[in-house]
Amino acid sequence: MNSERPLPVHVSTFVIGAGFAGLAMAIRLDEAGERNFLVAERGDDVGGTWRDNTYPGAACDVPSQLYSYSFALNPTWSRSFSPQPEIQAYIRRVADDSGVLDRFRFGIDVEHATWDEERQVWQVRTSAGDLTADVVVTAAGALSEPKLPEIDGIGSFAGEVFHSARWDHDADLSGKRVAVIGTGASAIQIVPEIARTVEHLDVYQRTAPWVMPRHDRAYTGVEKLAFKHLPGLQRLYRTAIYWGRECFVPAFVINPKIALPAKKAAQANITRHISDPELRRKVTPNFEIGCKRILISNTWYPALAQDNVDLVTDRIARVTPTGIVTEDGTERDVDVLVVATGFHTTDLPVAHHITGREGHTLADQWAETGVSAYKGATVSGFPNLFFLVGPNTGLGHSSMVFMIESQVAYVLDALRTMRERDLVTVEPKRGEQDAWNADLQRRMERTVWHRGGCSSWYLDEHGRNVTLWPRTTFAFRRLTRVFDATAYHLVADNETLRDGRTDTPDELQELNA
Ligand code: NAP
């Protein structure tokens, strides 16, 4: 698109990523009159994970009415759970209508952002040149970097091999022997689609997921007309879905026993579609429902029961040029290998590309302290840096778009505060950040994610949950509604007003009032 235009020398706000979050940030900045911003996107379009995940069967497992911006309801959703092409088209349409795309640059890699303490700006190096920015907002997403499995010999595989998020549409699977590694949210959508055309499909399962029925249906013409002409009705419908979803929270964060009806529905989903006792045993999870992401599908179990599909539960020992060998010594031939093994979630890759006030990268800091932020948005040692979809803002039950809009509001209020109070920098106090995270981790202790008897991508290598939000989404919205300047070190007019180093405590008090 407009990537060939030269970059400005300086912008007020530099946004990394043009997915749901980056686009919302741009639209809201523009509405707030903050016009001097730039959004850098390495892909060639808006959409982020919805642009990248084009695998067969890709669809959202949060209802479309809720999985959309509150400021851009879509009356034309075709179904209750939208397929990926429709979501991508929606994001594109919102972007086109917003009038902000002139400040987007596509096909640009953000190589590094370094805090310049002397000039109090971010020095940003990109593949299209350098610029400075007063504020950096990273909207790079948690599901953007595919995670490839470390399996012996995988590099030697002679056939086609690709990750679910980088689907090779030129690869013809019909009549081929295909292997899918993984049984997460992506795999359970891919398998039923490709099982129809491949000659044989081996599905390599390490852990059986809980899979509930998918209550998906096409909207009737009457419903679509009503959504179009009665936006209030659509908003009411969306609100009802929102509160319905919030009712799931206690089962995750208070007591998994509350989820017993869901567990029963998932067990019935197995018995309804699978008659073979051995296969039933293999697909029945051995941990509490909710510990890993709960999946929804009506086609996963029927696909596994198909004659041309085998569910392999023996561990993979190695990959050879022509197939996969499991630990029991069996080798299965493979023409095409699909790795549906998820994303780098707990080790946010963007952290390697950001160097803060003390000269070390965010990745280095997090290697010592563990991944943490204040309100999922800001990090001590990294002034004027804001995260969207930052640490501990993920959800297992509802729409990330709701969380994104909460975080965007927080950033906007921070920028407004900076402008109104003539602040050059804001940086969360270490103590506030630690207290925030201590409270989060205390709440985590009783969640199903910790007590449910599974390992998941929610947890880091020390078993800390650094991805999910352990409370209701309305609590998060309340806590991020306004920028709480008292939790921050504030620097105004080049005069250092940080705690312990301030010469002007009265002024600090005034600023924090
Ligand atoms: P995922 O949930 O992380 O699943 C990865 C799968 O690969 C798991 O079954 C995992 O097994 C397996 N795996 C990983 N490494 C392996 C290895 N070395 N050997 C064998 N198996 C291995 O990834 P995903 O399915 O791409 O989904 C990621 C997230 O994206 C979801 O949780 C969801 O948030 C989002 N998503 C949403 C939708 C939707 O809305 N419908 C669709 C797709 C994705 P273990 O369980 O044993 O680790």
Side-chain angles (χ1 to χ4, degrees):
M1 287 175 86
N2 44 21
S3 19
E4 59 287 346
R5 286 172 35 213
L7 296 181
V9 176
H10 178 84
V11 289
S12 295
T13 307
F14 182 74
V15 182
I16 305 173
F20 252 116
L23 179 59
M25 191 73 245
I27 292 173
R28 289 302 204 195
L29 279 168
D30 196 61
E31 277 173 11
E34 305 268 358
R35 304 254 147 69
N36 183 9
F37 64 84
L38 190 84
V39 180
E41 165 58 53
R42 68 180 168 189
D44 59 0
D45 200 354
V46 293
T49 198
W50 292 104
R51 178 201 60 221
D52 291 343
N53 281 272
T54 60
Y55 60 75
C60 191
D61 56 13
V62 175
S64 326
Q65 300 295 344
L66 192 58
Y67 199 78
S68 44
Y69 295 121
S70 64
F71 54 83
L73 296 197
N74 177 18
T76 65
W77 293 123
S78 68
R79 316 186 58 80
S80 45
F81 292 90
S82 296
Q84 174 270 337
E86 235 178 276
I87 299 172
Q88 178 58 13
Y90 163 77
I91 300 172
R92 177 117 270 293
R93 201 164 54 244
V94 173
D96 284 340
D97 294 347
S98 67
V100 296
L101 281 178
D102 58 328
R103 276 149 289 168
F104 282 52
R105 297 289 190 281
F106 294 95
I108 289 186
D109 262 327
V110 177
E111 291 166 357
H112 213 93
T114 306
W115 177 249
D116 182 336
E117 180 71 350
E118 206 179 301
R119 292 181 57 201
Q120 307 268 284
V121 289
W122 284 100
Q123 303 275 2
V124 183
R125 199 176 75 229
T126 82
S127 56
D130 299 346
L131 74 162
T132 55
D134 297 324
V135 167
V136 169
V137 178
T138 158
L143 302 176
S144 55
E145 291 287 345
K147 191 170 189 176
L148 299 171
E150 286 168 16
I151 299 175
D152 257 8
I154 197 160
S156 73
F157 184 66
E160 284 150 307
V161 49
F162 47 88
H163 189 274
S164 53
R166 300 286 181 273
W167 194 266
D168 180 354
H169 291 277
D170 293 332
D172 180 11
L173 304 189
S174 52
K176 299 265 176 68
R177 294 187 64 88
V178 179
V180 172
I181 301 179
T183 54
S186 303
I188 73 146
Q189 296 184 329
I190 293 166
V191 165
E193 289 297 314
I194 65 173
R196 298 190 193 125
T197 52
V198 301
E199 181 204 308
H200 183 83
L201 180 59
D202 287 323
V203 180
Y204 287 84
Q205 171 184 282
R206 194 164 64 177
T207 315
W210 283 107
V211 185
M212 306 251 304
R214 185 179 180 89
H215 299 295
D216 189 15
R217 66 180 180 85
Y219 285 127
T220 63
V222 174
E223 282 173 309
K224 282 195 245 175
L225 266 180
F227 292 150
K228 188 166 175 207
H229 296 291
L230 301 169
L233 184 74
Q234 187 180 20
R235 206 162 276 282
L236 202 65
Y237 187 28
R238 174 184 165 100
T239 306
I241 294 170
Y242 171 79
W243 287 108
R245 293 254 151 185
E246 285 308 279
C247 292
F248 299 154
V249 174
F252 289 101
V253 304
I254 297 177
N255 190 341
K257 287 200 174 72
I258 303 171
L260 197 61
K263 190 172 176 176
K264 289 217 151 59
Q267 283 165 335
N269 203 22
I270 296 173
T271 44
R272 187 179 312 123
H273 295 297
I274 295 177
S275 51
D276 173 20
E278 176 58 11
L279 187 54
R280 278 186 183 175
R281 189 191 58 74
K282 282 181 170 179
V283 300
T284 302
N286 58 1
F287 54 87
E288 284 300 335
I289 191 165
C291 184
K292 280 174 182 284
R293 190 178 173 94
I294 300 173
L295 310 182
I296 52 170
S297 175
N298 301 330
T299 51
W300 167 245
Y301 292 132
L304 294 183
Q306 270 177 229
D307 287 343
N308 66 335
V309 179
D310 281 336
L311 183 70
V312 183
T313 53
D314 293 313
R315 288 295 167 95
I316 297 172
R318 62 182 189 281
V319 176
T320 68
T322 54
I324 294 179
V325 182
T326 43
E327 281 178 354
D328 63 345
T330 309
E331 177 160 10
R332 293 173 179 84
D333 291 340
V334 180
D335 301 319
V336 181
L337 176 53
V338 177
V339 287
T341 46
F343 300 87
H344 288 274
T345 50
T346 53
D347 52 341
L348 293 174
V350 72
H352 291 278
H353 303 280
I354 300 174
T355 296
R357 188 165 44 75
E358 281 154 17
H360 54 244
T361 66
L362 185 53
D364 285 341
Q365 176 158 317
W366 279 347
E368 277 189 22
T369 63
V371 172
S372 78
Y374 178 64
K375 297 197 170 180
T378 51
V379 182
S380 171
F382 294 78
N384 293 6
L385 174 71
F386 293 90
F387 270 91
L388 303 178
V389 196
N392 289 109
T393 60
L395 299 178
H397 72 288
S398 190
S399 170
M400 276 311 293
V401 185
F402 185 92
M403 298 298 270
I404 286 168
E405 288 194 37
S406 304
Q407 290 209 290
V408 165
Y410 187 72
V411 177
L412 277 183
D413 202 46
L415 299 184
R416 187 189 55 75
T417 308
M418 289 175 77
R419 198 176 354 86
E420 283 179 9
R421 299 183 180 185
D422 228 359
L423 300 176
V424 184
T425 69
V426 296
E427 177 189 332
K429 295 172 184 167
R430 181 87 227 177
E432 296 284 347
Q433 186 178 321
D434 289 347
W436 173 264
N437 285 285
D439 177 62
L440 279 183
Q441 294 306 325
R442 185 183 52 74
R443 289 172 187 276
M444 286 297 178
E445 282 167 20
R446 62 177 185 175
T447 65
V448 68
W449 309 311
H450 276 224
R451 290 169 41 198
C454 76
S455 67
S456 72
W457 61 255
Y458 300 153
L459 311 180
D460 69 8
E461 72 272 26
H462 309 294
R464 277 173 81 244
N465 189 328
V466 295
T467 51
L468 291 188
W469 171 244
R471 303 177 64 181
T472 58
T473 62
F474 55 86
F476 187 77
R477 178 145 297 188
R478 183 171 47 77
L479 289 161
T480 53
R481 194 176 294 282
V482 290
F483 178 70
D484 41 352
T486 51
Y488 284 78
H489 296 300
L490 309 169
V491 175
D493 292 327
N494 282 333
E495 195 170 355
T496 302
L497 298 173
R498 293 195 178 92
D499 271 1
R501 290 196 267 144
T502 174
D503 297 328
T504 53
D506 294 345
E507 201 168 340
L508 176 66
Q509 263 182 8
E510 199 182 306
L511 280 165
N512 286 343

